[in-house]
Amino acid sequence: MSTSRDWPLFEVFIRARGGLDHKHVGSVHAVDARMAMEHARDLYTRRQEGVSIWVVRSSEIIASDPSDADAFFEPARDKVYRHPTFYDIPDEVKTL
Amino acid sequence: MDSEALERRFQARIDADERIEPKDWMPDSYRRTLIRQMAQHAHSEIVGMLPEGNWITRAPTLKRKAILMAKVQDEGGHGAYLYGATETLGVTRDALIEELLAGAAKYSSIFNYPTPTWADIGAIGWLVDGAAIMNQIPLCRCSFGPYARAMVRICKEESFHQRQGYDIMLQLSRGTDAQRRMAQEALDRWWWPSLMMFGPPDADSKHSAQSMRWKIKRFSNDELRERFIEFTVPQAQYLGLTVPQGEIDWSEFRDVLDGHGPCNRERLAARRRAHEQGLWVRDAATAYASRQAARKMQAAS
């Protein structure tokens, strides 16, 4: 039996170019961080899609629970006054 | 919430063109359908490396060889994106690959045809990748987020595949009589199998209606097939080649699907061999990583 089963999963984030955020692009399996980095390069930047890569073990990511999303995001729902469009400003007032 | 209410809410989200993400509630049948389809798609990419990989050492020029290697590498990449997207549904890539190697999983029947001449590589890029693009573009808007995102990436890369194939056909069609004949024969070989890539006629397609309701599928098999013919015939005319006339032989399609195509056994054997021959590399990598980790622990204590 192979001992190479179940290599850990890493999530891959790529900065397309300077000035942009790293963005999730997918995942790779690898034995360690270095291999994850090399696999991510080979898999996700074959056409110069990035200038920087982050890899992180998928098991280290803490995610919010979608089934709990309604309650979890509820506090922001009734605070429309946080948006600029909430305020009626007379047309005569400019650059505001 | 009971399951009927959950299912109603799920369908309402789909109807509103929302995307479903891996941790969202979904009916088991939706999950199973996606795992089956996405795994088959991933397997097709991986097995699809074989007919073309076969020509890497015999490509006519260094330029063609470099292009073909890049294309075959892309196909491996597409398989990796798709296995990764399938894993978000709660299966492991190892289990999916095991199913493929055991002969228990399906992949696109097109890859069970042989590539006897260099022109076949041109015809594959032009027709097979062309048909794949036609199938895959609507999948970029499929209801399951990870599948749709993988398809966006794949479609961007497929365009190169199709154009390099047409470029090979173009060069052959402007060549000697023998080269033109070679191009025509490759078109003759790949035309019908390419049309079969869109799946059985709508009336016989058993998964279609539900997949349409779930927006996994957005156009019917026959619609996509017709569109492909419409696009491809003028391209053949430009090459001065003749598109075969007649009807699709669906019994051939079923035979190949059932494992009786010209290369079914050879393809699986090649996959198994590659998997076995790579075992020591995977084992060595695992051993190296665990030794490095142990060394790090020791240094820290």
Side-chain angles (χ1 to χ4, degrees):
Chain A
M1 202 60 194
S2 158
T3 53
S4 64
R5 295 173 57 86
D6 300 320
W7 282 0
L9 196 63
F10 291 76
E11 299 302 319
V12 180
F13 301 81
I14 290 184
R15 187 200 295 286
R17 52 177 195 277
L20 296 181
D21 294 325
H22 284 78
K23 191 176 160 216
H24 184 246
V25 293
S27 56
V28 290
H29 283 279
V31 286
D32 59 16
R34 190 177 134 192
M35 187 197 258
M37 189 60 86
E38 287 170 0
H39 283 183
R41 177 202 58 197
D42 293 346
L43 193 55
Y44 293 107
T45 64
R46 286 197 301 286
R47 290 174 176 77
Q48 297 180 288
E49 288 96 334
V51 295
S52 163
I53 300 177
W54 291 346
V55 292
V56 58
R57 271 182 192 258
S58 310
S59 58
E60 294 293 319
I61 289 183
I62 297 146
S64 64
D65 177 358
S67 65
D68 190 34
D70 279 350
F72 188 69
F73 293 107
E74 193 274 333
R77 199 175 299 148
D78 58 354
K79 297 178 180 61
V80 283
Y81 46 83
R82 280 185 167 146
H83 297 280
T85 46
F86 179 73
Y87 303 93
D88 268 333
I89 304 293
D91 287 346
E92 293 77 16
V93 183
K94 302 297 180 194
T95 64
L96 192 77
Chain B
M1 222 183 294
D2 63 38
S3 70
E4 234 169 81
L6 282 167
E7 218 154 304
R8 264 200 308 278
R9 200 169 73 162
F10 175 82
Q11 189 61 47
R13 289 188 64 196
I14 302 243
D15 293 342
D17 258 336
E18 279 183 43
R19 295 291 189 269
I20 307 302
E21 293 297 337
K23 295 245 167 70
D24 295 348
W25 186 90
M26 62 184 83
D28 276 343
S29 47
Y30 178 81
R31 185 185 301 274
R32 279 198 308 273
T33 298
L34 277 171
I35 291 175
R36 180 179 51 80
Q37 179 173 338
M38 292 166 70
Q40 278 180 20
H41 198 160
H43 298 329
S44 301
E45 301 283 355
I46 298 297
V47 178
M49 296 167 83
L50 297 170
E52 291 180 287
N54 186 29
W55 273 92
I56 288 176
T57 54
R58 294 176 288 157
T61 65
L62 187 57
K63 180 184 98 174
R64 293 291 182 197
K65 183 171 177 161
I67 291 171
L68 187 56
M69 280 200 291
K71 179 184 192 287
V72 173
Q73 192 191 13
D74 274 353
E75 307 297 359
H78 297 176
Y81 305 151
L82 286 165
Y83 284 126
T86 316
E87 283 191 299
T88 65
L89 289 163
V91 287
T92 67
R93 184 179 64 173
D94 284 332
L96 297 176
I97 290 176
E98 219 156 86
E99 273 178 29
L100 171 68
L101 297 180
K106 286 207 159 62
Y107 55 86
S108 180
S109 59
I110 193 85
F111 301 115
N112 291 315
Y113 289 89
T115 45
T117 73
W118 172 249
D120 291 292
I121 302 305
I124 287 182
W126 171 37
L127 301 173
V128 176
D129 288 87
I133 292 173
M134 203 62 84
N135 267 330
Q136 288 171 346
I137 285 179
L139 284 172
C140 297
R141 294 187 299 128
C142 129
S143 60
F144 186 55
Y147 195 20
R149 291 191 287 275
M151 291 320 304
V152 168
R153 187 173 280 281
I154 289 174
C155 283
K156 272 188 202 160
E157 300 182 354
E158 292 283 9
S159 179
F160 141 59
H161 298 176
Q162 191 186 17
R163 293 175 73 130
Q164 66 84 37
Y166 195 74
D167 189 54
I168 291 174
M169 297 301 276
L170 200 57
Q171 202 174 353
L172 289 172
S173 70
R174 289 172 176 168
T176 63
D177 284 349
Q179 286 170 322
R180 268 196 299 278
R181 201 162 45 243
M182 199 160 100
Q184 180 63 54
E185 284 169 5
L187 168 58
D188 295 346
R189 271 194 290 277
W190 290 93
W191 179 251
W192 300 114
S194 297
L195 296 186
M196 293 176 200
M197 284 176 70
F198 296 95
D202 292 348
D204 308 335
S205 179
K206 56 180 175 172
H207 302 299
S208 278
Q210 183 57 65
S211 287
M212 291 272 219
R213 235 173 347 258
W214 279 332
K215 294 191 183 168
I216 294 172
K217 208 175 157 93
R218 295 200 176 240
F219 298 97
S220 81
N221 295 353
D222 289 333
E223 274 177 297
L224 291 170
R225 186 166 18 244
E226 285 306 316
R227 194 178 307 168
F228 174 74
I229 294 171
E230 197 183 304
F231 283 18
T232 311
V233 167
Q235 294 167 358
Q237 278 165 351
Y238 185 82
L239 295 172
L241 302 179
T242 313
V243 171
Q245 300 292 306
E247 296 278 322
I248 299 175
D249 176 3
W250 288 108
S251 65
E252 176 185 324
F253 177 72
R254 282 187 295 272
D255 278 353
V256 180
L257 219 54
D258 288 343
H260 308 302
C263 300
N264 293 54
R265 248 180 265 175
E266 189 185 323
R267 298 291 182 240
L268 259 195
R271 263 329 306 160
R272 283 193 197 117
R273 199 162 55 241
H275 196 72
E276 280 159 24
Q277 287 174 349
L279 178 61
W280 73 269
V281 179
R282 299 193 297 277
D283 282 346
T286 308
Y288 175 80
S290 56
R291 200 170 314 151
Q292 288 298 103
R295 224 171 260 170
K296 210 181 261 179
M297 286 263 278
Q298 219 166 26
S301 62

